[in-house]
Amino acid sequence: MAVNEGNIDWVVAIVALLAGIVIGVLIRHFSGSQRATSQKLKQRLAETELELKELRENVNTHFADVTTLARNITRQSEELQARLDADVSALASDPSLKRRPNTDALEESEEDTGALHIPRDYADSNGTLDESYGLRQKQENHGTDPQPPRY
């Protein structure tokens, strides 16, 4: 019997060793796949951050270009207006054209003030917000108090 018990111990030890090796291989396999997934995610995050940085630089460049173009358009329109004013004053024989830039400016300022007005909380005269609105004045020529309405 001592021989069989020794063999059983060796069999149990070998099975435990094999089970440990299988468990170790499985753990290594699953942890390795998580590590690979983690590396892929880190790489993707770095690529996304790089794209975001490039987009921000492109947006900043775009806004700088648009600002420059808007300034150029404004400057060119002012130069054009100045040239037109100079040409009108030098070449136009019609006196109404010579006065036109001033009247255009006045008309534009009148349109602006006419289109926008400050809201107010009162009426000009006898409006719905007037204190005496809706009140009847006493008729002194009849001398009698008005009768209450009949329903």
Side-chain angles (χ1 to χ4, degrees):
M1 275 202 172
V3 177
N4 287 338
E5 289 178 10
N7 287 337
I8 292 175
D9 289 339
W10 282 102
V11 171
V12 170
I14 291 174
V15 170
L17 179 66
L18 290 176
I21 290 173
V22 169
I23 291 172
V25 168
L26 289 175
I27 290 174
R28 170 92 169 123
H29 175 71
F30 287 123
S31 68
S33 67
Q34 289 176 352
R35 197 175 316 138
T37 305
S38 175
Q39 290 291 12
K40 288 179 185 176
L41 288 176
K42 286 180 182 179
Q43 181 181 0
R44 194 167 171 204
L45 178 62
E47 290 172 358
T48 305
E49 287 177 350
L50 180 63
E51 288 177 13
L52 179 62
K53 183 179 177 182
E54 290 175 357
L55 284 174
R56 284 183 179 165
E57 289 174 359
N58 289 341
V59 167
N60 290 338
T61 303
H62 170 74
F63 281 127
D65 292 343
V66 168
T67 302
T68 303
L69 291 173
R71 286 181 184 153
N72 288 341
I73 289 172
T74 303
R75 181 183 47 80
Q76 288 175 353
S77 69
E78 289 171 355
E79 289 175 1
L80 179 64
Q81 184 65 40
R83 183 169 180 173
L84 284 174
D85 291 342
D87 290 346
V88 164
S89 64
L91 300 175
S93 60
D94 188 9
S96 66
L97 289 176
K98 290 182 180 180
R99 284 184 265 132
R100 185 173 180 176
N102 294 336
T103 57
D104 286 344
L106 290 176
E107 288 175 2
E108 288 177 6
S109 65
E110 289 175 4
E111 289 175 6
D112 291 342
T113 58
L116 300 174
H117 63 279
I118 299 172
R120 33 182 209 187
D121 59 349
Y122 61 90
D124 289 332
S125 62
N126 288 337
T128 57
L129 297 177
D130 191 357
E131 289 182 9
S132 63
Y133 179 77
L135 297 178
R136 298 182 187 160
Q137 297 194 5
K138 291 185 178 180
Q139 299 174 353
E140 295 180 10
N141 55 3
H142 291 167
T144 61
D145 291 334
Q147 296 294 323
R150 295 183 180 179
Y151 297 106

